[in-house]
Amino acid sequence: LFDLQTIYGTSGQEKSALLVLEKGLRLSVEENDSYQAAKFLSSLLLHALDAGDVKRASDYLSRLEKLDAVSHRFSFEVKLGRAVIAALQNQPDIAEKIFAEIEKDEKPSEYALPYWKLIIAEKNQDWEQLIKINQALLDLTVKDNYRDGLPKIYLTFARAYFY
């Protein structure tokens, strides 16, 4: 189901992709497979956060926290969910505290947190912050010679300077 969701998502059929994730979650719960259920929940959580749907993201986060209470395999997703939800609910101090905790404990990719902070700045229409984060991403992208990321970065600059 993850492969099917990926196919739908990359072909622009976001609604179908989300329905596949929901179906996978439902089947995992029916089979009492908490690990698979947590994988589906983490994907659904990230999609909801990306869409800025705080209510749905909060629901997915709550369910993920319950499933992951013992194993802590999804601690990055749980902390990220808390941070992004706090930021989208206009609680920047809490969000930054959680982001700092993620950087210290989880050691994510150099790109992961800046991209999420970029999404938050854009949703909050904090154009100065968006430009600052985007510049850091541009520097990192050029340093790593990651050319695939450049078009999105330049488009984000254009959007930010437009506003």
Side-chain angles (χ1 to χ4, degrees), residues 11-73:
S11 65
Q13 300 177 49
E14 191 64 30
K15 208 173 213 177
S16 296
L18 291 174
L19 289 173
V20 169
L21 288 173
E22 288 282 356
K23 183 176 183 175
L25 173 61
R26 198 171 41 258
L27 292 171
S28 298
V29 169
E30 288 173 8
E31 292 295 319
N32 292 321
D33 189 341
S34 60
Y35 176 71
Q36 288 298 323
K39 282 178 65 173
F40 284 109
L41 273 171
S42 69
S43 292
L44 287 163
L45 171 63
L46 296 175
H47 279 282
L49 291 172
D50 189 38
D53 189 343
V54 174
K55 184 177 182 227
R56 181 168 279 161
S58 296
D59 176 52
Y60 291 140
L61 177 60
S62 174
R63 293 169 68 186
L64 182 59
E65 286 174 321
K66 288 176 189 168
L67 279 177
D68 197 46
V70 176
S71 70
H72 301 290
R73 288 182 178 174

Side-chain angles (χ1 to χ4, degrees), residues 64-125:
L64 182 59
E65 286 174 321
K66 288 176 189 168
L67 279 177
D68 197 46
V70 176
S71 70
H72 301 290
R73 288 182 178 174
F74 295 88
S75 61
F76 173 77
E77 290 86 350
V78 167
K79 289 176 186 175
L80 180 66
R82 287 180 190 152
V84 175
I85 289 170
L88 293 176
Q89 291 178 329
N90 203 20
Q91 300 171 332
D93 295 338
I94 294 171
E96 281 306 314
K97 180 181 174 192
I98 298 170
F99 277 126
E101 184 181 318
I102 291 170
E103 288 178 24
K104 180 180 157 224
D105 297 343
E106 302 294 334
K107 309 290 187 237
S109 156
E110 290 180 279
Y111 294 90
L113 296 184
Y115 271 115
W116 280 104
K117 289 179 180 182
L118 198 67
I119 290 168
I120 292 165
E122 188 168 5
K123 294 205 184 306
N124 290 339
Q125 297 183 351

